[in-house]
Every structure is written in C-alpha cells, then in structure tokens.
Amino acid sequence: MLSIDRAIVDAIVAHARRDHPDEACGVVAGPAGSDLATRHIPMENAARSMTFYEFDSMEQLRVWREMDDRDEAPVVIYHSHTATEAYPSRTDVSFAGEPDAHYLLVSTREPDSEEIRSFRIVAGVVTEEKVRILDAGVDPHAVQSYMFGQSPATVDYECSGR
C-alpha cells in the first residue's frame, strides 16, 4: 500500500493539470531504505507528448545525484495520462526500472475530477495497490472515539482490480 501525504498528492495533481494536455512526470523522494514519500520533485517531460513521458536525461542525473547526496531514493515515480485511465501502458511497463518504487498514475481526462492509482511494476508484472492519503495537518487522535477507532488522518481509496 502506498501511504502519501495529501499535500504531495495535491501538488502532483496540480502539476498534471498544469502540463495538460501533455503528460506530466516526476518523483517523490524519501529516506533510502524506507517507504516514506516525503519530497515532491516535479520534472520536465522531455518528450512533450500527450501520450508518452520521458525524463530529461540531464535533469534525471541531477535529481538522482541529489537524492544520493541526501541519502534518499525514488519512493514514488509518477506521471499523468491525459486521455486514458490511470493504468500503466505497455510503454510504461517496459520503462519501469525502479522495482522498489510505487508507480503513481493520475488521469486528467476528466476536467473536473482526477483518477489516482498506484502500482508496483516488477519484471514486467503490474500489481495495483491501495493508496492511503494522509493528512499531516490533522491530529490522528483528536476524534478517535467519534470515529470508532478509525483514524481521521487517513483515507483509503479502493480501486477496481485488474
């Protein structure tokens, strides 16, 4: 399951909307060896395409070196689909080179809503996972009894399986 802060998701969606109709892309870095997505890094789609994304090679080198210097890893690799559902294409699968990363896709095909889904892609096998959006601005214990033991700081988005 991908757990990610609402502010980061909002920034990713804003990036996807800003770059629409081209696909947007980027990374969310976190401490190496963890699954904690903490630092949003929007990147340039060098392909400038409505159907394909490609990190600029020099920007990717700079970002990966910066992550190394900060003892970080790419926890989330994201991009948008502008006319199709948020599901990895054959091209997305073939280029997925970070087996430990969550691949987050945002569909911006509908102007008034976003479809957000996350996948693990390892050796060409796509596995969808739940996305839990955390709200860092909410005390998870503030209304614990009212929520009958459910944390008010999290939202699980169940996605249809493939």
Side-chain angles (χ1 to χ4, degrees), residues 10 31 50 57 63 77 83 90 93 95-96 99 104 107 109 118-119 121-122 128 135 142 152-153:
D10 290 347
M50 297 169 57
S57 60
V63 167
I77 297 175
R90 285 189 299 263
V93 173
F95 284 109
L104 185 77
S107 177
R109 66 182 168 176
S118 183
F119 305 87
I121 305 173
V122 180
E128 186 163 11
D135 190 342

PDB file of all heavy atoms in Angstrom, residues 10 31 50 57 63 77 83 90 93 95-96 99 104 107 109 118-119 121-122 128 135 142 152-153:
ATOM      1  N   ASP A  10      -1.852  16.589  -3.816  1.00  0.00           N
ATOM      2  CA  ASP A  10      -2.379  17.823  -4.391  1.00  0.00           C
ATOM      3  C   ASP A  10      -1.361  18.476  -5.326  1.00  0.00           C
ATOM      4  O   ASP A  10      -1.719  18.992  -6.392  1.00  0.00           O
ATOM      5  CB  ASP A  10      -2.782  18.806  -3.290  1.00  0.00           C
ATOM      6  CG  ASP A  10      -4.020  18.365  -2.516  1.00  0.00           C
ATOM      7  OD1 ASP A  10      -4.729  17.427  -2.968  1.00  0.00           O
ATOM      8  OD2 ASP A  10      -4.273  18.948  -1.440  1.00  0.00           O
ATOM      9  N   PRO A  31      13.521   8.834   2.463  1.00  0.00           N
ATOM     10  CA  PRO A  31      14.738   8.249   3.009  1.00  0.00           C
ATOM     11  C   PRO A  31      15.044   6.885   2.387  1.00  0.00           C
ATOM     12  O   PRO A  31      14.142   6.045   2.256  1.00  0.00           O
ATOM     13  CB  PRO A  31      14.434   8.109   4.500  1.00  0.00           C
ATOM     14  CG  PRO A  31      13.362   9.115   4.772  1.00  0.00           C
ATOM     15  CD  PRO A  31      12.548   9.178   3.507  1.00  0.00           C
ATOM     16  N   MET A  50       1.476  14.073 -25.446  1.00  0.00           N
ATOM     17  CA  MET A  50       0.182  13.786 -24.830  1.00  0.00           C
ATOM     18  C   MET A  50       0.042  12.303 -24.494  1.00  0.00           C
ATOM     19  O   MET A  50      -0.871  11.923 -23.767  1.00  0.00           O
ATOM     20  CB  MET A  50      -0.950  14.194 -25.778  1.00  0.00           C
ATOM     21  CG  MET A  50      -0.993  15.678 -26.072  1.00  0.00           C
ATOM     22  SD  MET A  50      -2.115  16.129 -27.419  1.00  0.00           S
ATOM     23  CE  MET A  50      -3.653  15.466 -26.840  1.00  0.00           C
ATOM     24  N   SER A  57      17.294  13.552 -19.592  1.00  0.00           N
ATOM     25  CA  SER A  57      18.412  12.765 -19.060  1.00  0.00           C
ATOM     26  C   SER A  57      19.306  13.578 -18.120  1.00  0.00           C
ATOM     27  O   SER A  57      19.754  13.069 -17.087  1.00  0.00           O
ATOM     28  CB  SER A  57      19.238  12.150 -20.191  1.00  0.00           C
ATOM     29  OG  SER A  57      19.759  13.169 -21.019  1.00  0.00           O
ATOM     30  N   VAL A  63      18.760  14.979 -10.441  1.00  0.00           N
ATOM     31  CA  VAL A  63      17.832  14.605  -9.367  1.00  0.00           C
ATOM     32  C   VAL A  63      18.308  13.342  -8.652  1.00  0.00           C
ATOM     33  O   VAL A  63      18.293  13.269  -7.425  1.00  0.00           O
ATOM     34  CB  VAL A  63      16.400  14.436  -9.922  1.00  0.00           C
ATOM     35  CG1 VAL A  63      15.495  13.751  -8.923  1.00  0.00           C
ATOM     36  CG2 VAL A  63      15.829  15.788 -10.330  1.00  0.00           C
ATOM     37  N   ILE A  77       7.342   7.205  -8.390  1.00  0.00           N
ATOM     38  CA  ILE A  77       7.565   7.765  -9.715  1.00  0.00           C
ATOM     39  C   ILE A  77       6.170   7.971 -10.290  1.00  0.00           C
ATOM     40  O   ILE A  77       5.367   7.041 -10.320  1.00  0.00           O
ATOM     41  CB  ILE A  77       8.411   6.840 -10.603  1.00  0.00           C
ATOM     42  CG1 ILE A  77       9.805   6.686  -9.977  1.00  0.00           C
ATOM     43  CG2 ILE A  77       8.489   7.380 -12.030  1.00  0.00           C
ATOM     44  CD1 ILE A  77      10.707   5.712 -10.684  1.00  0.00           C
ATOM     45  N   ALA A  83      -5.679  11.252 -21.636  1.00  0.00           N
ATOM     46  CA  ALA A  83      -6.886  10.859 -22.366  1.00  0.00           C
ATOM     47  C   ALA A  83      -7.348   9.449 -22.024  1.00  0.00           C
ATOM     48  O   ALA A  83      -8.337   8.982 -22.577  1.00  0.00           O
ATOM     49  CB  ALA A  83      -6.633  10.969 -23.876  1.00  0.00           C
ATOM     50  N   ARG A  90       1.704  -0.343 -22.000  1.00  0.00           N
ATOM     51  CA  ARG A  90       2.818  -1.265 -22.293  1.00  0.00           C
ATOM     52  C   ARG A  90       4.145  -0.521 -22.253  1.00  0.00           C
ATOM     53  O   ARG A  90       5.148  -1.042 -21.772  1.00  0.00           O
ATOM     54  CB  ARG A  90       2.613  -1.939 -23.649  1.00  0.00           C
ATOM     55  CG  ARG A  90       1.570  -3.023 -23.638  1.00  0.00           C
ATOM     56  CD  ARG A  90       1.569  -3.804 -24.939  1.00  0.00           C
ATOM     57  NE  ARG A  90       1.277  -2.958 -26.081  1.00  0.00           N
ATOM     58  CZ  ARG A  90       0.069  -2.826 -26.636  1.00  0.00           C
ATOM     59  NH1 ARG A  90      -0.940  -3.500 -26.151  1.00  0.00           N
ATOM     60  NH2 ARG A  90      -0.116  -2.044 -27.661  1.00  0.00           N
ATOM     61  N   VAL A  93       5.175   0.111 -18.661  1.00  0.00           N
ATOM     62  CA  VAL A  93       5.685  -1.126 -18.057  1.00  0.00           C
ATOM     63  C   VAL A  93       7.105  -1.409 -18.540  1.00  0.00           C
ATOM     64  O   VAL A  93       7.987  -1.765 -17.750  1.00  0.00           O
ATOM     65  CB  VAL A  93       4.744  -2.317 -18.349  1.00  0.00           C
ATOM     66  CG1 VAL A  93       5.350  -3.631 -17.868  1.00  0.00           C
ATOM     67  CG2 VAL A  93       3.377  -2.083 -17.703  1.00  0.00           C
ATOM     68  N   PHE A  95       9.377   0.642 -19.452  1.00  0.00           N
ATOM     69  CA  PHE A  95      10.350   1.609 -18.954  1.00  0.00           C
ATOM     70  C   PHE A  95      10.441   1.652 -17.431  1.00  0.00           C
ATOM     71  O   PHE A  95      11.231   2.418 -16.887  1.00  0.00           O
ATOM     72  CB  PHE A  95      10.051   3.014 -19.480  1.00  0.00           C
ATOM     73  CG  PHE A  95      10.464   3.199 -20.918  1.00  0.00           C
ATOM     74  CD1 PHE A  95       9.511   3.303 -21.914  1.00  0.00           C
ATOM     75  CD2 PHE A  95      11.803   3.257 -21.284  1.00  0.00           C
ATOM     76  CE1 PHE A  95       9.878   3.465 -23.236  1.00  0.00           C
ATOM     77  CE2 PHE A  95      12.181   3.410 -22.600  1.00  0.00           C
ATOM     78  CZ  PHE A  95      11.211   3.518 -23.590  1.00  0.00           C
ATOM     79  N   ALA A  96       9.639   0.857 -16.744  1.00  0.00           N
ATOM     80  CA  ALA A  96       9.650   0.866 -15.276  1.00  0.00           C
ATOM     81  C   ALA A  96      10.929   0.194 -14.782  1.00  0.00           C
ATOM     82  O   ALA A  96      11.055  -1.020 -14.800  1.00  0.00           O
ATOM     83  CB  ALA A  96       8.416   0.155 -14.737  1.00  0.00           C
ATOM     84  N   PRO A  99      12.342  -1.200  -9.235  1.00  0.00           N
ATOM     85  CA  PRO A  99      11.463  -2.231  -8.680  1.00  0.00           C
ATOM     86  C   PRO A  99      10.924  -1.930  -7.288  1.00  0.00           C
ATOM     87  O   PRO A  99       9.891  -2.481  -6.901  1.00  0.00           O
ATOM     88  CB  PRO A  99      12.337  -3.486  -8.668  1.00  0.00           C
ATOM     89  CG  PRO A  99      13.739  -2.996  -8.732  1.00  0.00           C
ATOM     90  CD  PRO A  99      13.704  -1.686  -9.469  1.00  0.00           C
ATOM     91  N   LEU A 104       2.788   5.868  -9.488  1.00  0.00           N
ATOM     92  CA  LEU A 104       1.522   6.563  -9.299  1.00  0.00           C
ATOM     93  C   LEU A 104       1.103   7.183 -10.621  1.00  0.00           C
ATOM     94  O   LEU A 104       1.897   7.881 -11.257  1.00  0.00           O
ATOM     95  CB  LEU A 104       1.681   7.661  -8.239  1.00  0.00           C
ATOM     96  CG  LEU A 104       0.413   8.393  -7.851  1.00  0.00           C
ATOM     97  CD1 LEU A 104      -0.421   7.512  -6.919  1.00  0.00           C
ATOM     98  CD2 LEU A 104       0.752   9.699  -7.157  1.00  0.00           C
ATOM     99  N   SER A 107      -4.976  10.313 -13.967  1.00  0.00           N
ATOM    100  CA  SER A 107      -5.664  10.584 -15.217  1.00  0.00           C
ATOM    101  C   SER A 107      -6.322  11.945 -15.130  1.00  0.00           C
ATOM    102  O   SER A 107      -7.067  12.223 -14.187  1.00  0.00           O
ATOM    103  CB  SER A 107      -6.729   9.519 -15.506  1.00  0.00           C
ATOM    104  OG  SER A 107      -7.431   9.865 -16.697  1.00  0.00           O
ATOM    105  N   ARG A 109      -8.121  13.065 -17.802  1.00  0.00           N
ATOM    106  CA  ARG A 109      -9.027  13.073 -18.955  1.00  0.00           C
ATOM    107  C   ARG A 109     -10.339  13.773 -18.658  1.00  0.00           C
ATOM    108  O   ARG A 109     -10.968  14.308 -19.558  1.00  0.00           O
ATOM    109  CB  ARG A 109      -9.265  11.661 -19.477  1.00  0.00           C
ATOM    110  CG  ARG A 109     -10.010  10.756 -18.526  1.00  0.00           C
ATOM    111  CD  ARG A 109     -10.164   9.362 -19.071  1.00  0.00           C
ATOM    112  NE  ARG A 109     -10.619   8.454 -18.026  1.00  0.00           N
ATOM    113  CZ  ARG A 109     -10.914   7.208 -18.222  1.00  0.00           C
ATOM    114  NH1 ARG A 109     -10.796   6.701 -19.425  1.00  0.00           N
ATOM    115  NH2 ARG A 109     -11.319   6.450 -17.226  1.00  0.00           N
ATOM    116  N   SER A 118      -2.139   3.599  -7.914  1.00  0.00           N
ATOM    117  CA  SER A 118      -0.734   3.264  -7.695  1.00  0.00           C
ATOM    118  C   SER A 118      -0.492   1.800  -8.012  1.00  0.00           C
ATOM    119  O   SER A 118      -1.358   0.946  -7.775  1.00  0.00           O
ATOM    120  CB  SER A 118      -0.356   3.550  -6.240  1.00  0.00           C
ATOM    121  OG  SER A 118       1.021   3.302  -6.037  1.00  0.00           O
ATOM    122  N   PHE A 119       0.706   1.527  -8.519  1.00  0.00           N
ATOM    123  CA  PHE A 119       1.070   0.187  -8.953  1.00  0.00           C
ATOM    124  C   PHE A 119       2.500  -0.120  -8.559  1.00  0.00           C
ATOM    125  O   PHE A 119       3.338   0.769  -8.455  1.00  0.00           O
ATOM    126  CB  PHE A 119       0.949   0.076 -10.482  1.00  0.00           C
ATOM    127  CG  PHE A 119      -0.395   0.465 -11.000  1.00  0.00           C
ATOM    128  CD1 PHE A 119      -0.691   1.790 -11.297  1.00  0.00           C
ATOM    129  CD2 PHE A 119      -1.387  -0.487 -11.163  1.00  0.00           C
ATOM    130  CE1 PHE A 119      -1.948   2.156 -11.748  1.00  0.00           C
ATOM    131  CE2 PHE A 119      -2.642  -0.133 -11.620  1.00  0.00           C
ATOM    132  CZ  PHE A 119      -2.918   1.194 -11.910  1.00  0.00           C
ATOM    133  N   ILE A 121       5.503  -2.261 -10.293  1.00  0.00           N
ATOM    134  CA  ILE A 121       5.848  -2.849 -11.591  1.00  0.00           C
ATOM    135  C   ILE A 121       7.221  -3.480 -11.448  1.00  0.00           C
ATOM    136  O   ILE A 121       8.227  -2.781 -11.315  1.00  0.00           O
ATOM    137  CB  ILE A 121       5.841  -1.802 -12.720  1.00  0.00           C
ATOM    138  CG1 ILE A 121       4.490  -1.072 -12.772  1.00  0.00           C
ATOM    139  CG2 ILE A 121       6.163  -2.469 -14.056  1.00  0.00           C
ATOM    140  CD1 ILE A 121       4.449   0.092 -13.758  1.00  0.00           C
ATOM    141  N   VAL A 122       7.258  -4.810 -11.435  1.00  0.00           N
ATOM    142  CA  VAL A 122       8.497  -5.547 -11.243  1.00  0.00           C
ATOM    143  C   VAL A 122       8.596  -6.610 -12.330  1.00  0.00           C
ATOM    144  O   VAL A 122       7.704  -7.447 -12.466  1.00  0.00           O
ATOM    145  CB  VAL A 122       8.549  -6.208  -9.842  1.00  0.00           C
ATOM    146  CG1 VAL A 122       9.842  -6.985  -9.656  1.00  0.00           C
ATOM    147  CG2 VAL A 122       8.389  -5.165  -8.743  1.00  0.00           C
ATOM    148  N   GLU A 128      -1.637  -3.688  -8.896  1.00  0.00           N
ATOM    149  CA  GLU A 128      -2.241  -2.489  -8.326  1.00  0.00           C
ATOM    150  C   GLU A 128      -2.237  -2.581  -6.807  1.00  0.00           C
ATOM    151  O   GLU A 128      -2.344  -3.666  -6.235  1.00  0.00           O
ATOM    152  CB  GLU A 128      -3.665  -2.306  -8.834  1.00  0.00           C
ATOM    153  CG  GLU A 128      -4.260  -0.990  -8.365  1.00  0.00           C
ATOM    154  CD  GLU A 128      -5.482  -0.569  -9.152  1.00  0.00           C
ATOM    155  OE1 GLU A 128      -5.998  -1.384  -9.928  1.00  0.00           O
ATOM    156  OE2 GLU A 128      -5.907   0.585  -8.970  1.00  0.00           O
ATOM    157  N   ASP A 135      -3.341  13.031   5.945  1.00  0.00           N
ATOM    158  CA  ASP A 135      -3.500  14.467   6.122  1.00  0.00           C
ATOM    159  C   ASP A 135      -2.640  14.882   7.304  1.00  0.00           C
ATOM    160  O   ASP A 135      -3.039  14.724   8.461  1.00  0.00           O
ATOM    161  CB  ASP A 135      -4.966  14.819   6.365  1.00  0.00           C
ATOM    162  CG  ASP A 135      -5.217  16.312   6.314  1.00  0.00           C
ATOM    163  OD1 ASP A 135      -4.238  17.098   6.429  1.00  0.00           O
ATOM    164  OD2 ASP A 135      -6.378  16.698   6.167  1.00  0.00           O
ATOM    165  N   ALA A 142      -7.284  13.131  17.582  1.00  0.00           N
ATOM    166  CA  ALA A 142      -8.170  14.191  18.037  1.00  0.00           C
ATOM    167  C   ALA A 142      -9.622  13.744  18.182  1.00  0.00           C
ATOM    168  O   ALA A 142     -10.291  14.133  19.121  1.00  0.00           O
ATOM    169  CB  ALA A 142      -8.077  15.390  17.102  1.00  0.00           C
ATOM    170  N   PRO A 152      -8.891   9.578  11.678  1.00  0.00           N
ATOM    171  CA  PRO A 152      -9.397  10.637  10.818  1.00  0.00           C
ATOM    172  C   PRO A 152      -8.334  11.186   9.880  1.00  0.00           C
ATOM    173  O   PRO A 152      -8.625  11.969   9.007  1.00  0.00           O
ATOM    174  CB  PRO A 152      -9.833  11.708  11.814  1.00  0.00           C
ATOM    175  CG  PRO A 152      -8.944  11.507  12.974  1.00  0.00           C
ATOM    176  CD  PRO A 152      -8.729  10.019  13.055  1.00  0.00           C
ATOM    177  N   ALA A 153      -7.089  10.770  10.027  1.00  0.00           N
ATOM    178  CA  ALA A 153      -5.995  11.303   9.229  1.00  0.00           C
ATOM    179  C   ALA A 153      -5.741  10.499   7.963  1.00  0.00           C
ATOM    180  O   ALA A 153      -4.823  10.786   7.237  1.00  0.00           O
ATOM    181  CB  ALA A 153      -4.725  11.377  10.071  1.00  0.00           C
TER     182      ALA A 153
END
